[in-house]
Amino acid sequence: MASITNAFEMAQRQFDHVAEMLRLDPDVRELLRWPSREYHFRIPVRMDDGSIRSFQGYRVQHNDARGPNKGGIRFHPAETVDTVRALATWMTWKCAVVDIPLGGGKGGVIVDPATLSIGEKERLVRGFVQQIHKNIGPRNDVPAPDVGTTPQMMGWMMDEYSKLVGQYTPGVITGKPLGGGGSLGRTEATGFGVIYTVREALKHLGLESSDCRAAIQGFGNVAQYAAIGFTETLKGKVVCVSYWDRDDRCAYTVSNEDGMDPHLLMEATDQYGSIDKAKVKAAGYTLEDGDAWITKEAEVLIPAALEGQINSESVNQISDKVRVIAEGANGPTTPEADKVLEERGVFVIPDFLCNAGGVTVSYFEGVQNDMNFYWTREEVIQRLDTKMSHAFTDVLDMTIKQKVFTRDAAYMVAIARVVKAMELRGLI
Ligand code: GLU
């Protein structure tokens, strides 16, 4: 299922729609529609065979009124400057909606990381930092992992930055490995955060989570911990997950109506997300077409892959059993599909609320780095749950008060906070 909408156009359309509802000042509107800064650069890398290959890299800073720009770096073959712009913009709204003192940014490199050796990957991420180190830092822009990047890569980036500035600077980047300046709970944070918002949504709808099924698109970091949280914390059943098979160059849905064991699925998954077919078949699970996840009978649908997956066509395939859509991915639903879901009365937990758990624990990681004092996993997870639950309540209250779609309500909460910070700083 390909993305059919330009992600940045989508981010601007969502914003314009709410800016119009809020009758936001046209000058402020224009300011917030665009990133405040962006960097485009080539990264030359010495490959293992001795040749030099250069990769296209980007870092986009959308808005820093509430604090340093914050957001991950994606390594993906289909990355474009517009996907990075969209993701940077959503980061501004994400940090604002969970009320952490950070702005929005995002980075990207056009590359398929699975085609690189470990050494080539290390040289590429160090090269990324060499090109951008003057424009990032704990007080102006703090990168993190995203699709295609890992804690180990964050560790290399932190090391490269520290060498370039001449002092150990763990706070320049988050999502670092444990023992290398990382925070306990960061790996699970996004997926668990998704589940805390699902729990609150089900409570609001009067549904018992242990009676609910979840259909998940994707089985990367977010989907894996959402699956664990859904089965272990909410006691529900995960009836399918989907993944991209590198060998067959197509997607598959792995399903079982009676529910699946997320740990078994994780053990069957390699570092690039391909699942061992023989292992899942041996567990009695079925392999289906990659698009099958969207048609499944389930109370909760969790798109946790890439942008534009629920669009004007695929939205009509969603079962009428679905009550909640929890957007683990960034930008999975197009504005056309939103209209259909709103009419059908599906409770959508919008991406920048639903998947804000990752950046929330990134913020905690930065705080711990600054203090040079580290919290227990329980403290991190508890604080994460509190932050996510409060953010959910703020958005739900706005939905009810303004009688608007949940995504619009989330924008209203986030825009109000960013505009207030801009006013207080005298920027507008
Ligand atoms: N890449 C994650 C996101 O989209 C995390 C960003 C961060 O931790 O800064 O929210």
Side-chain angles (χ1 to χ4, degrees), residues 4 71 88 94 150 172 184 268 289 291 319 333 373 415 419-420 424:
I4 56 166
K94 192 180 298 190
T150 61
V172 66
L184 288 162
D289 183 81
D291 291 346
S319 151
T333 310
F373 177 76
I415 292 171
V419 168
K420 185 171 177 203
L424 290 172

Side-chain angles (χ1 to χ4, degrees), residues 91-127:
M91 286 308 301
T92 299
W93 311 132
K94 192 180 298 190
C95 293
V97 90
V98 276
D99 206 10
I100 53 178
L102 296 166
K106 205 82 175 196
V109 176
I110 306 175
V111 62
D112 179 356
T115 62
L116 303 179
S117 69
I118 291 186
E120 289 166 343
K121 264 186 234 165
E122 178 172 352
R123 293 193 286 281
L124 176 57
V125 302
R126 288 188 186 275

